[in-house]
């Protein structure tokens, strides 16, 4: 499995790009996409999923140009859009059967599979109720289930964990970590902790461009030994923020504890172990 | 107060900035063009016996104003009658409900934005009527007041009340869209033909559409011209072929009595009062809960234990690109749509088709029974977009060939099943032509639904067109007879088939574009 994205641009209007001259090559495994709002994550994922077409560039899967032959990827694709709807009058079973039919999966065997998926996503009890009566997180899990119906080899999840409670997040992670062996799994999120436990590779996007694409260790290495924490007075915070890259702040008695990144820490700073979140914030704040 | 107006403003902007509104405007323009027939056209709109007015300013102003009032009262209602529903669907309603706005203000703002929407159409028609005047100019002088006065007094108050009625219907029959649609139709029929006893001019005040007073004045003018007392046959609406030996009379407009003008204002005021009266029963978007209470399932009921599953161990599925199960789901969606008791109506219609004489069954029961399916058919091809499942649908395997085809098939199956008694009967009496015509009719109407759904990405256009067609069917207008109840000519079937094929072409072409340029 090899997915190549070559010089892809998506232009929405004259000067408005969703993605600009974007290239990357994705191998099998789990790729986490990080980026602030409006970075272009959904734009990229929709183009890979053949939902929208690039204005320029090529997307190639195993030497097949999917812009010319969309059905080549659609046959092996599972896609969870960021915004999606359901037919509220159908129940989970019926809706998944419908999606299965859309994907062209034989009717007979699918029953059992749907049952398994609903079970794995903890939806079996509600499966006979109309989806219109589902909670937000339950609807999201229906979306996850539909993406996995056709034994996909390329799985694209745009913010899959939105609306899931902590328990369901864990269940979701376990579910997809099993897929990494012979599939390409791409998931986007703003929540770094959703990515850091499972992603083999991490790509950071901002303003339609790729800021970094590597495995987690390499990304974190960049700021190794540069993360510190210091307690300062409240009135100095604004000034401090102007001169340093602040990751986070928290209240500590009458002072403020500041986690920040710097080559030359101020006095009283304590060195911290760098994590993915630090690296991500460092990247997006400095670029 | 300022916030109140900005609510109306943004509501109006939101609704007019849509593609479907643009289409509505274009269609309104096209229709307005036909309000005053070309000098040598083969139809008439308003005609008193053999007489039509000279093509002066007054004739253009009043005729188009009358036509607008009637036309836009009927169609306008269906154009604006989902203002509150839209807020429910977009969930903006829930946000609105959490603000301090009162029910009355909210409802009034919806009514006013309905009104603005319809006024926009009136303005377009108004400009068109002036354009027509110059286009067909017979040398009469242009008098702008003959345009402004009738428009201000006739259609404007009428559509104001219609805008309010649309909201009233939404408030009263929140969950029964069907009752809203059919109920208004009866109300309209009742209002459009008030039982005006001869010459009792003081009844004009009760005429919501404000058209009677003008039409009586026209009749009066012709009567004076002929100096006979006998009744002159006034026809209003599109009538084909009665254009022989047209004579002209001079129409100078109407001097509206002050009581009539006051009555127009009173209509509007009582509309607002009605809203005020009803505002306490407005649901204020607390409707989801009603649904939920019924279907809520608590976690205590949970029986099955959840297993961790290993996806890679699941059996691989095989491919099947047939469309059987797609058709099945489409049918399921049809059947689930709407309230269950509507199926009782369908059953009654079905039985009537079987027991009534074939001619009545074919000319009256069938079009009504089919029209009852309007809400099933109307979103047949736009429901993916409406329900936001288009990402699934359009990236499926061969969406066009499989999904669109299965929607078409499901639609036709439903329509033909409903018409089954009639089909069987026509085979028994060896009326093969009717048999074929019914089948072509079913395909035609389903394709009309599909194509208008694809073109407008919504369901309104089809609902209105289907409604007007059915209205024409019940009034026995021959060229609207798509199901072969009135006409028995093979050339008509052929024309209809051709039309169906062209429509299919447009629909498929547009959908290909939509899938390509998402
Ligand atoms: N249909 C559209 N028309 C115009 N601009 C668009 C459209 N869709 C996205 N954009 C723009 O493209 C850019 C990238 O959007 P995109 O949805 O890909 O961001 P994202 O990374 O998914 O953000 P989020 O985290 O909020 O989901 C944004 O600036 C957005 O304004
Ligand atoms: Mg996004």
């Amino acid at each position: 499995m090899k997915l190549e994205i070559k010089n892809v641009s998506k232009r929405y209007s004259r000067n408005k790009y969703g993605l600009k001259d974007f290239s990357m090559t994705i191998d099998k495994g789990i790729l986490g996409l990080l980026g602030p709002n409006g970075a272009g994550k959904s734009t990229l994922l929709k183009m890979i999923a053949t939902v929208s077409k690039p204005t320029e560039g090529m997307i190639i899967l195993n030497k097949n140009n999917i812009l010319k032959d969309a059905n080549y990827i659609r046959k092996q694709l599972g896609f969870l859009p960021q915004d999606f709807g359901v037919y509220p009058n159908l129940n989970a079973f019926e809706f998944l059967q419908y999606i299965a039919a859309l994907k062209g999966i034989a009717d007979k065997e699918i029953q059992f599979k749907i049952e398994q998926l609903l079970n794995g996503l903890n939806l079996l009890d509600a499966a006979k109720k109309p989806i219109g009566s589902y909670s937000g997180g339950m609807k999201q899990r229906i979306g996850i289930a539909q993406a996995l119906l056709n034994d996909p080899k390329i799985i694209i999840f745009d913010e899959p964990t939105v609306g899931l409670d902590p328990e369901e997040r864990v269940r979701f992670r376990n579910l997809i970590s099993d897929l990494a062996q012979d599939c390409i799994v791409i998931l986007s999120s703003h929540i770094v902790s959703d990515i850091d436990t499972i992603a083999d590779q991490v790509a950071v996007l901002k303003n339609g461009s790729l800021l970094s694409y590597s495995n987690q260790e390499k990304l974190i290495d960049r700021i190794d030994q540069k993360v510190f924490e210091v307690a300062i007075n409240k009135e100095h915070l604004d000034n401090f923020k102007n001169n340093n890259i602040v990751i986070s702040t928290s209240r500590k008695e009458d002072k403020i504890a500041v986690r920040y990144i710097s080559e030359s820490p101020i006095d009283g700073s304590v060195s911290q172990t760098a994590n993915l979140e630090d690296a991500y914030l460092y990247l997006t704040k400095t670029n | 107060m300022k916030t109140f107006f900005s609510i109306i403003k943004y509501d109006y902007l939101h609704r007019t900035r849509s593609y479907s509104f643009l289409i509505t405007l274009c269609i309104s323009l096209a229709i307005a063009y036909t309000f005053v027939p070309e000098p040598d056209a083969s139809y008439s709109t308003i005609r008193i016996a053999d007489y039509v007015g000279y093509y002066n300013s007054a004739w253009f102003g009043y005729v188009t104003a009358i036509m607008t009032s009637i036309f836009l009262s009927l169609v306008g209602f269906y154009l604006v009658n989902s203002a509150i529903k839209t807020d429910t669907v977009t969930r903006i309603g829930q946000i609105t409900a959490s603000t301090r706005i009162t029910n009355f203000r909210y409802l009034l703002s919806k009514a006013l934005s309905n009104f603005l929407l319809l006024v926009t159409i009136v303005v377009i028609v108004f400009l068109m009527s002036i354009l027509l005047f110059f286009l067909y100019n017979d040398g009469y002088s242009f008098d702008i007041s003959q345009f402004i006065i009738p428009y201000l007094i006739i259609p404007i108050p009428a559509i104001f009340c219609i805008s309010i009625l649309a909201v009233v219907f939404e408030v009263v029959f929140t969950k029964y869209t069907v009752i809203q649609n059919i109920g208004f139709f009866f109300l309209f029929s009742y209002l459009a033909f008030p039982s005006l006893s001869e010459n009792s001019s003081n009844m004009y005040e009760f005429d919501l559409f404000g058209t009677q007073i003008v039409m009586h004045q026209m009749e009066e003018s012709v009567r004076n011209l002929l100096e006979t007392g006998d009744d002159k046959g006034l026809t209003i609406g599109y009538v084909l072929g009665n254009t022989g030996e047209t004579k002209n009379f001079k129409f100078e407009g109407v001097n509206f009595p002050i009581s009539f003008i006051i009555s127009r204002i009173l209509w509007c005021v009582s509309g607002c009062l009605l809203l005020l009266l009803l505002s306490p029963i407005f649901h204020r978007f607390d409707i989801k809960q009603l649904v939920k209470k019924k279907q809520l399932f608590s976690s205590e009921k949970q029986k099955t234990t959840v297993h961790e599953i290993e996806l890679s161990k699941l059996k691989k599925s095989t491919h099947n690109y047939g469309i059987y199960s797609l058709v099945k789901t489409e049918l399921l969606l049809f059947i689930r749509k709407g309230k269950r008791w509507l199926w009782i109506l369908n059953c009654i219609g079905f039985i009537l088709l079987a027991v009534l004489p074939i001619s009545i069954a074919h000319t009256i029961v069938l079009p009504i029974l089919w029209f009852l399916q309007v809400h099933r058919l109307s979103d047949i091809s736009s429901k993916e977009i409406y329900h936001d499942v288009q990402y699934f649908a359009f990236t499926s395997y061969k969406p066009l060939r499989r999904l669109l085809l299965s929607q078409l098939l499901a639609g036709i199956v439903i329509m033909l099943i409903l018409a089954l008694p009639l089909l069987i009967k026509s085979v028994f009496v060896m009326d093969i032509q009717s048999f074929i015509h019914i089948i072509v009719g079913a395909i035609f109407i389903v394709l009309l639904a599909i194509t208008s759904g694809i073109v407008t990405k919504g369901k309104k256009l089809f609902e209105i067109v289907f409604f007007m067609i059915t209205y024409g069917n019940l009034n026995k207008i021959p060229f609207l007879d798509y199901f072969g109840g009135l006409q028995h000519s093979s050339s008509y079937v052929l024309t209809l088939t051709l039309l169906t094929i062209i429509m299919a072409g447009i629909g498929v072409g547009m959908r290909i574009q939509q899938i390509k340029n998402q």
Side-chain angles (χ1 to χ4, degrees):
Chain A
M1 296 297 282
K2 191 169 167 198
L3 181 68
E4 293 167 88
I5 298 157
K6 288 187 172 166
N7 306 96
V8 165
S9 293
K10 176 80 184 181
R11 198 168 70 190
Y12 284 116
S13 56
R14 251 171 65 87
N15 292 318
K16 175 83 195 147
Y17 283 87
L19 213 60
K20 206 167 179 180
D21 196 17
F22 188 94
S23 302
M24 74 191 285
T25 303
I26 302 167
D27 286 312
K28 68 181 180 221
I30 300 180
L31 167 68
L33 271 190
L34 287 171
N37 289 146
K41 303 183 293 293
S42 299
T43 305
L44 174 66
L45 295 183
K46 278 198 270 190
M47 286 190 293
I48 300 174
T50 70
V51 172
S52 76
K53 284 219 156 110
T55 351
E56 273 162 60
M58 278 196 292
I59 301 179
I60 293 165
L61 176 67
N62 301 339
K63 303 211 169 71
N64 290 276
N65 184 347
I66 64 163
L67 304 180
K68 291 223 177 74
D69 181 14
N71 281 328
Y72 177 76
I73 186 165
R74 285 177 184 177
K75 269 188 283 192
Q76 39 189 336
L77 174 75
F79 176 45
L80 170 72
Q82 184 171 5
D83 315 297
F84 69 95
V86 291
Y87 289 138
N89 281 336
L90 296 182
N91 66 35
F93 248 105
E94 291 160 346
F95 185 69
L96 290 177
Q97 260 168 11
Y98 177 64
I99 301 282
L102 280 174
K103 293 184 174 194
I105 306 170
D107 210 27
K108 290 186 188 64
E109 308 132 46
I110 201 67
Q111 286 289 344
F112 179 68
K113 183 151 213 173
I114 290 176
E115 217 161 285
Q116 291 290 304
L117 279 172
L118 288 176
N119 192 6
L121 288 158
N122 191 13
L123 280 172
L124 210 48
D125 289 311
K128 289 280 158 68
K129 307 267 162 56
I131 308 181
S133 67
Y134 280 20
S135 73
M138 289 161 83
K139 205 191 95 190
Q140 183 73 4
R141 279 180 273 150
I142 291 286
I144 295 171
Q146 68 69 38
L148 298 172
L149 271 176
N150 54 330
D151 318 305
K153 288 271 172 259
I154 299 229
I155 306 165
I156 297 174
F157 289 121
D158 200 350
E159 310 212 6
T161 53
V162 168
L164 298 190
D165 61 34
E167 202 182 326
E168 296 301 338
R169 271 168 206 250
V170 173
R171 212 192 302 280
F172 171 75
R173 254 180 255 158
N174 295 345
L175 192 65
I176 61 163
S177 57
D178 173 38
L179 292 168
Q181 276 96 44
D182 53 0
C183 301
I184 293 179
V185 182
I186 310 176
L187 38 126
S188 82
S189 184
H190 323 234
I191 301 166
V192 180
S193 63
D194 272 346
I195 304 266
D196 63 5
T197 42
I198 45 172
D200 305 308
Q201 303 280 316
V202 176
V204 181
L205 270 71
K206 193 179 173 184
N207 294 334
S209 318
L210 190 61
L211 292 187
S212 133
Y213 175 34
S214 64
N215 60 28
Q216 293 195 35
E217 292 73 36
K218 279 216 185 104
L219 191 56
I220 296 170
D221 267 351
R222 295 200 201 180
I223 53 160
D224 200 27
Q225 312 296 332
K226 290 185 201 163
V227 184
F228 300 94
E229 190 172 292
V230 68
I232 58 171
N233 285 328
K234 213 172 170 184
E235 48 271 25
H236 297 146
L237 184 61
D238 281 343
N239 189 29
F240 188 83
K241 270 187 177 168
N242 287 337
N243 299 323
N244 296 279
I245 299 157
V246 173
I247 305 281
S248 63
T249 58
S250 60
R251 214 175 269 273
K252 222 172 203 178
E253 286 153 23
D254 55 341
K255 291 204 164 184
I256 302 231
V258 183
R259 188 181 175 96
Y260 70 106
I261 295 171
S262 174
E263 301 268 1
S264 47
I266 62 168
D267 288 345
S269 296
V270 183
S271 178
Q272 305 278 317
T273 330
N275 61 28
L276 187 61
E277 181 149 23
D278 299 326
Y280 165 67
L281 287 171
Y282 174 74
L283 260 178
T284 48
K285 284 192 177 185
T286 49
N287 281 281
Chain B
M1 214 50 197
K2 216 170 157 194
T3 52
F4 181 62
F5 285 120
S6 60
I7 292 176
I8 298 170
K9 180 179 154 198
Y10 291 111
D11 203 53
Y12 173 77
L13 285 181
H14 157 72
R15 291 163 78 181
T16 48
R17 263 184 207 160
S18 69
Y19 176 59
S20 55
F21 186 70
L22 198 70
I23 291 181
T24 311
L25 279 188
C26 292
I27 293 173
S28 310
L29 261 183
I31 291 175
Y33 179 75
T34 66
F35 279 173
V36 179
E38 252 179 281
D40 51 359
S42 62
Y43 68 94
S44 72
T45 50
I46 291 185
R47 183 181 165 104
I48 301 101
D50 296 333
Y51 286 87
V52 298
Y54 287 112
Y55 276 15
N56 60 5
S57 295
W59 182 256
F60 273 90
Y62 280 80
V63 166
T64 55
I66 291 178
M67 295 296 283
T68 309
S69 185
I70 294 179
F71 171 76
L72 209 58
S73 295
L74 178 59
V75 175
F77 176 84
Y78 294 99
L79 274 178
V80 298
N81 74 339
S82 55
I84 298 176
K85 194 167 176 220
T86 311
D87 274 4
T88 315
V89 171
T90 56
R91 298 187 192 87
I92 289 176
Q94 291 184 12
I95 299 172
T96 317
S98 68
T99 65
R100 281 169 40 212
I101 191 165
T102 61
N103 280 359
F104 175 62
R105 277 201 167 196
Y106 174 75
L107 295 180
L108 191 64
S109 78
K110 285 291 159 191
L112 290 179
S113 104
N114 285 349
F115 177 61
L116 278 185
L117 202 92
L118 295 182
V119 166
T120 314
I121 298 176
V122 172
V123 168
I124 290 280
V125 175
F126 174 80
L127 295 176
M128 187 70 181
S129 68
I130 293 177
L131 186 76
L132 282 180
F133 172 80
F134 286 109
L135 217 60
Y136 304 151
N137 196 349
D138 260 356
Y140 293 96
S141 63
F142 176 65
D143 179 0
I144 186 93
S145 67
Q146 296 284 33
F147 287 87
I148 293 178
I149 291 172
Y151 269 89
L152 274 186
I153 295 181
I154 301 166
I156 295 286
I159 59 165
F160 185 86
C161 292
I162 291 296
S163 309
I164 288 187
L165 265 183
V167 174
V168 168
F169 269 66
E170 277 198 273
V171 170
V172 179
F173 308 113
T174 305
K175 288 193 160 183
Y176 301 93
T177 329
V178 187
I179 298 188
Q180 291 177 31
N181 291 336
I182 296 172
F184 177 77
F185 178 56
F186 285 113
L187 186 68
F188 174 82
S189 310
Y190 173 74
L191 288 172
F193 310 104
S195 48
L196 287 177
S197 48
E198 277 295 310
N199 295 327
S200 58
S201 57
N202 54 344
M203 294 291 280
Y204 294 140
E205 283 75 21
F206 292 99
D207 172 24
L208 170 61
F209 306 122
T211 56
Q212 300 288 337
I213 189 169
V214 182
M215 295 199 288
H216 280 203
Q217 176 102 34
M218 288 177 176
E219 276 183 308
E220 202 61 29
S221 310
V222 174
R223 203 173 282 144
N224 287 341
L225 207 68
L226 290 175
E227 289 169 347
T228 60
D230 54 312
D231 222 60
K232 285 292 121 206
L234 179 140
T235 61
I236 177 158
Y238 293 89
V239 183
L240 278 179
N242 69 340
T243 46
E245 295 177 46
T246 307
K247 290 174 230 150
N248 293 98
F249 74 102
K250 191 162 187 196
F251 179 68
E252 298 274 28
V254 177
N255 268 327
F256 293 107
I258 203 81
S259 66
F260 182 73
I261 295 174
I262 292 176
S263 79
R264 305 303 283 159
I265 297 170
L266 281 181
W267 270 107
C268 301
V269 173
S270 29
C272 295
L273 284 180
L274 183 61
L275 264 194
L276 184 64
L277 217 64
L278 286 175
S279 57
I281 68 164
F282 173 51
H283 54 67
R284 214 174 160 94
F285 303 103
D286 199 12
I287 33 179
K288 251 245 164 105
Q289 267 177 352
L290 289 177
V291 184
K292 269 195 177 158
K293 260 180 217 151
K294 253 191 275 165
Q295 295 158 339
L296 205 68
F297 33 90
S298 58
S299 44
E300 296 152 5
K301 274 199 214 149
Q302 202 159 331
K303 293 165 238 122
T304 25
T305 43
V306 186
H307 302 292
E308 294 263 316
I309 53 164
E310 261 187 79
L311 283 173
S312 47
K313 299 246 167 68
L314 287 182
K315 194 162 166 268
K316 295 277 173 279
S317 41
T318 47
H319 286 288
N320 171 7
Y321 295 126
I323 61 168
Y324 168 71
S325 39
L326 283 179
V327 176
K328 220 171 64 183
T329 315
E330 291 291 337
L331 282 173
L332 197 67
L333 284 169
F334 269 138
I335 293 167
R336 293 269 169 83
K337 197 121 197 275
K339 295 277 175 269
R340 286 223 181 99
W341 57 262
L342 261 179
W343 280 104
I344 299 174
L345 277 188
N346 285 342
C347 284
I348 295 173
F350 192 80
I351 293 167
L352 285 181
L353 274 189
V355 297
L356 286 178
I358 205 165
S359 64
I360 297 179
H362 197 169
T363 52
I364 296 174
V365 182
L366 185 69
I368 294 180
L369 182 60
W370 275 1
F371 179 68
L372 283 180
Q373 318 310 317
V374 60
H375 64 294
R376 281 182 230 283
L377 290 182
S378 61
D379 67 353
I380 184 168
S381 62
S382 60
K383 62 176 179 299
E384 290 97 4
I385 292 172
Y386 181 79
H387 289 298
D388 237 337
V389 296
Q390 77 268 33
Y391 289 153
F392 303 143
F394 295 170
T395 56
S396 63
Y397 186 72
K398 302 211 166 132
L400 211 60
R401 218 179 286 166
R402 301 173 64 241
L403 185 58
L404 200 60
L405 186 65
S406 58
Q407 286 167 343
L408 178 66
L409 285 179
I412 294 172
V413 166
I414 284 274
M415 297 305 256
L416 288 184
I417 286 178
L418 287 171
L420 202 59
L422 201 59
L423 286 171
I424 293 173
K425 268 189 185 172
S426 56
V427 170
F428 266 118
V429 298
M430 299 291 279
D431 188 357
I432 299 306
Q433 183 150 25
S434 288
F435 182 83
I436 294 173
H437 210 144
I438 291 173
I439 292 178
V440 175
I443 300 174
F444 167 79
I445 207 72
V446 174
L447 263 173
L448 185 67
I450 288 182
T451 301
S452 38
I454 291 174
V455 172
T456 62
K457 296 184 181 168
K459 52 188 184 178
K460 273 274 140 84
L461 177 65
F462 174 73
E463 283 176 355
I464 289 170
V465 170
F466 196 13
F467 177 82
M468 301 219 294
I469 290 178
T470 308
Y471 187 75
N473 296 149
L474 299 181
N475 287 305
K476 304 219 165 18
I477 292 176
F479 73 93
L480 291 177
D481 169 38
Y482 66 96
F483 50 88
L486 304 168
Q487 301 225 5
H488 294 277
S489 77
S490 35
S491 71
Y492 187 80
V493 181
L494 220 63
T495 320
L496 195 66
T497 313
L498 207 68
L499 206 66
T500 310
I501 294 171
I502 294 173
M503 245 169 21
I506 297 174
V508 171
M510 291 271 301
R511 176 67 23 122
I512 291 176
Q513 284 307 311
Q514 281 173 10
I515 292 174
K516 262 193 194 158
N517 319 320
Q518 278 187 63

